[in-house]
PDB file of all heavy atoms in Angstrom:
ATOM      1  N   CYS A 669      63.336  58.585  20.421  1.00 97.00           N
ATOM      2  CA  CYS A 669      62.291  58.013  21.270  1.00 97.00           C
ATOM      3  C   CYS A 669      62.850  57.754  22.672  1.00 97.00           C
ATOM      4  O   CYS A 669      63.601  56.785  22.874  1.00 97.00           O
ATOM      5  CB  CYS A 669      61.751  56.720  20.665  1.00 97.00           C
ATOM      6  SG  CYS A 669      60.541  55.950  21.749  1.00 97.00           S
ATOM      7  N   PHE A 671      61.473  56.505  25.259  1.00 97.00           N
ATOM      8  CA  PHE A 671      61.057  55.219  25.834  1.00 97.00           C
ATOM      9  C   PHE A 671      61.937  54.092  25.290  1.00 97.00           C
ATOM     10  O   PHE A 671      62.419  53.238  26.026  1.00 97.00           O
ATOM     11  CB  PHE A 671      59.583  54.979  25.479  1.00 97.00           C
ATOM     12  CG  PHE A 671      58.970  53.803  26.186  1.00 97.00           C
ATOM     13  CD1 PHE A 671      58.877  53.766  27.564  1.00 97.00           C
ATOM     14  CD2 PHE A 671      58.471  52.718  25.469  1.00 97.00           C
ATOM     15  CE1 PHE A 671      58.311  52.673  28.213  1.00 97.00           C
ATOM     16  CE2 PHE A 671      57.902  51.625  26.105  1.00 97.00           C
ATOM     17  CZ  PHE A 671      57.819  51.607  27.484  1.00 97.00           C
ATOM     18  N   LYS A 672      62.168  54.137  23.995  1.00 97.00           N
ATOM     19  CA  LYS A 672      63.021  53.125  23.366  1.00 97.00           C
ATOM     20  C   LYS A 672      64.437  53.228  23.934  1.00 97.00           C
ATOM     21  O   LYS A 672      65.095  52.212  24.197  1.00 97.00           O
ATOM     22  CB  LYS A 672      63.032  53.352  21.848  1.00 97.00           C
ATOM     23  CG  LYS A 672      63.838  52.354  21.065  1.00 97.00           C
ATOM     24  CD  LYS A 672      63.526  52.507  19.578  1.00 97.00           C
ATOM     25  CE  LYS A 672      64.221  51.449  18.765  1.00 97.00           C
ATOM     26  NZ  LYS A 672      65.561  51.783  18.369  1.00 97.00           N
ATOM     27  N   VAL A 954      56.721  58.068  26.746  1.00 96.00           N
ATOM     28  CA  VAL A 954      56.384  57.562  25.407  1.00 96.00           C
ATOM     29  C   VAL A 954      55.990  58.775  24.555  1.00 96.00           C
ATOM     30  O   VAL A 954      54.823  59.112  24.409  1.00 96.00           O
ATOM     31  CB  VAL A 954      55.225  56.545  25.484  1.00 96.00           C
ATOM     32  CG1 VAL A 954      54.950  55.936  24.114  1.00 96.00           C
ATOM     33  CG2 VAL A 954      55.542  55.465  26.478  1.00 96.00           C
ATOM     34  N   PRO A 956      57.620  59.748  21.192  1.00 97.00           N
ATOM     35  CA  PRO A 956      58.644  59.658  20.148  1.00 97.00           C
ATOM     36  C   PRO A 956      58.575  60.837  19.165  1.00 97.00           C
ATOM     37  O   PRO A 956      57.483  61.297  18.850  1.00 97.00           O
ATOM     38  CB  PRO A 956      58.279  58.363  19.430  1.00 97.00           C
ATOM     39  CG  PRO A 956      56.806  58.223  19.625  1.00 97.00           C
ATOM     40  CD  PRO A 956      56.487  58.838  20.951  1.00 97.00           C
ATOM     41  N   LYS A 958      60.197  60.252  16.449  1.00 95.00           N
ATOM     42  CA  LYS A 958      60.159  59.394  15.264  1.00 95.00           C
ATOM     43  C   LYS A 958      59.941  57.957  15.746  1.00 95.00           C
ATOM     44  O   LYS A 958      60.804  57.398  16.442  1.00 95.00           O
ATOM     45  CB  LYS A 958      61.488  59.517  14.522  1.00 95.00           C
ATOM     46  CG  LYS A 958      61.427  58.923  13.161  1.00 95.00           C
ATOM     47  CD  LYS A 958      62.673  59.259  12.398  1.00 95.00           C
ATOM     48  CE  LYS A 958      62.708  58.470  11.125  1.00 95.00           C
ATOM     49  NZ  LYS A 958      64.017  58.481  10.537  1.00 95.00           N
ATOM     50  N   CYS A 959      58.787  57.413  15.422  1.00 96.00           N
ATOM     51  CA  CYS A 959      58.501  56.023  15.836  1.00 96.00           C
ATOM     52  C   CYS A 959      58.724  55.147  14.605  1.00 96.00           C
ATOM     53  O   CYS A 959      57.989  55.253  13.628  1.00 96.00           O
ATOM     54  CB  CYS A 959      57.061  55.920  16.315  1.00 96.00           C
ATOM     55  SG  CYS A 959      56.563  54.252  16.683  1.00 96.00           S
ATOM     56  N   ILE A 960      59.763  54.324  14.680  1.00 92.00           N
ATOM     57  CA  ILE A 960      60.057  53.548  13.471  1.00 92.00           C
ATOM     58  C   ILE A 960      59.221  52.269  13.438  1.00 92.00           C
ATOM     59  O   ILE A 960      59.028  51.604  14.462  1.00 92.00           O
ATOM     60  CB  ILE A 960      61.557  53.215  13.326  1.00 92.00           C
ATOM     61  CG1 ILE A 960      62.129  52.798  14.679  1.00 92.00           C
ATOM     62  CG2 ILE A 960      62.326  54.339  12.718  1.00 92.00           C
ATOM     63  CD1 ILE A 960      63.488  52.216  14.573  1.00 92.00           C
ATOM     64  N   CYS A 963      60.467  48.974  14.936  1.00 93.00           N
ATOM     65  CA  CYS A 963      60.956  49.003  16.327  1.00 93.00           C
ATOM     66  C   CYS A 963      60.691  47.654  17.007  1.00 93.00           C
ATOM     67  O   CYS A 963      59.559  47.161  17.003  1.00 93.00           O
ATOM     68  CB  CYS A 963      60.245  50.112  17.090  1.00 93.00           C
ATOM     69  SG  CYS A 963      60.661  50.104  18.832  1.00 93.00           S
ATOM     70  N   TYR A 965      60.561  46.998  20.023  1.00 94.00           N
ATOM     71  CA  TYR A 965      59.813  47.092  21.288  1.00 94.00           C
ATOM     72  C   TYR A 965      58.321  47.341  21.072  1.00 94.00           C
ATOM     73  O   TYR A 965      57.592  47.551  22.026  1.00 94.00           O
ATOM     74  CB  TYR A 965      60.417  48.198  22.169  1.00 94.00           C
ATOM     75  CG  TYR A 965      61.868  47.932  22.466  1.00 94.00           C
ATOM     76  CD1 TYR A 965      62.874  48.694  21.899  1.00 94.00           C
ATOM     77  CD2 TYR A 965      62.226  46.858  23.283  1.00 94.00           C
ATOM     78  CE1 TYR A 965      64.208  48.409  22.141  1.00 94.00           C
ATOM     79  CE2 TYR A 965      63.557  46.572  23.533  1.00 94.00           C
ATOM     80  CZ  TYR A 965      64.546  47.349  22.957  1.00 94.00           C
ATOM     81  OH  TYR A 965      65.845  47.052  23.201  1.00 94.00           O
ATOM     82  N   LYS A 966      57.918  47.312  19.838  1.00 93.00           N
ATOM     83  CA  LYS A 966      56.507  47.583  19.528  1.00 93.00           C
ATOM     84  C   LYS A 966      55.544  46.718  20.354  1.00 93.00           C
ATOM     85  O   LYS A 966      54.559  47.225  20.886  1.00 93.00           O
ATOM     86  CB  LYS A 966      56.252  47.367  18.034  1.00 93.00           C
ATOM     87  CG  LYS A 966      55.480  48.527  17.490  1.00 93.00           C
ATOM     88  CD  LYS A 966      55.396  48.595  16.024  1.00 93.00           C
ATOM     89  CE  LYS A 966      55.156  50.060  15.719  1.00 93.00           C
ATOM     90  NZ  LYS A 966      55.378  50.427  14.385  1.00 93.00           N
ATOM     91  N   CYS A 969      55.071  48.331  23.692  1.00 95.00           N
ATOM     92  CA  CYS A 969      54.959  49.798  23.741  1.00 95.00           C
ATOM     93  C   CYS A 969      53.502  50.212  23.551  1.00 95.00           C
ATOM     94  O   CYS A 969      52.800  49.666  22.724  1.00 95.00           O
ATOM     95  CB  CYS A 969      55.821  50.398  22.648  1.00 95.00           C
ATOM     96  SG  CYS A 969      55.701  52.175  22.598  1.00 95.00           S
ATOM     97  N   VAL A 971      52.408  53.189  22.631  1.00 96.00           N
ATOM     98  CA  VAL A 971      52.294  54.442  21.878  1.00 96.00           C
ATOM     99  C   VAL A 971      51.017  54.430  21.030  1.00 96.00           C
ATOM    100  O   VAL A 971      50.623  53.398  20.503  1.00 96.00           O
ATOM    101  CB  VAL A 971      53.538  54.666  20.986  1.00 96.00           C
ATOM    102  CG1 VAL A 971      53.602  53.684  19.833  1.00 96.00           C
ATOM    103  CG2 VAL A 971      53.577  56.094  20.472  1.00 96.00           C
TER     104      VAL A 971
HETATM  105  S1  SF4 B   1      57.260  51.596  19.149  1.00 86.23           S
HETATM  106 FE1  SF4 B   1      57.729  53.737  18.694  1.00 86.23          FE
HETATM  107  S2  SF4 B   1      57.249  54.807  20.557  1.00 86.23           S
HETATM  108 FE2  SF4 B   1      57.369  52.682  21.089  1.00 86.23          FE
HETATM  109  S3  SF4 B   1      59.452  52.338  21.760  1.00 86.23           S
HETATM  110 FE3  SF4 B   1      59.414  51.882  19.607  1.00 86.23          FE
HETATM  111  S4  SF4 B   1      59.947  53.786  18.617  1.00 86.23           S
HETATM  112 FE4  SF4 B   1      59.374  54.307  20.697  1.00 86.23          FE
END
Side-chain angles (χ1 to χ4, degrees):
C669 176
F671 189 62
K672 182 168 185 273
V954 185
K958 193 171 170 195
C959 174
I960 42 169
C963 174
Y965 301 109
K966 227 168 204 164
C969 178
V971 70

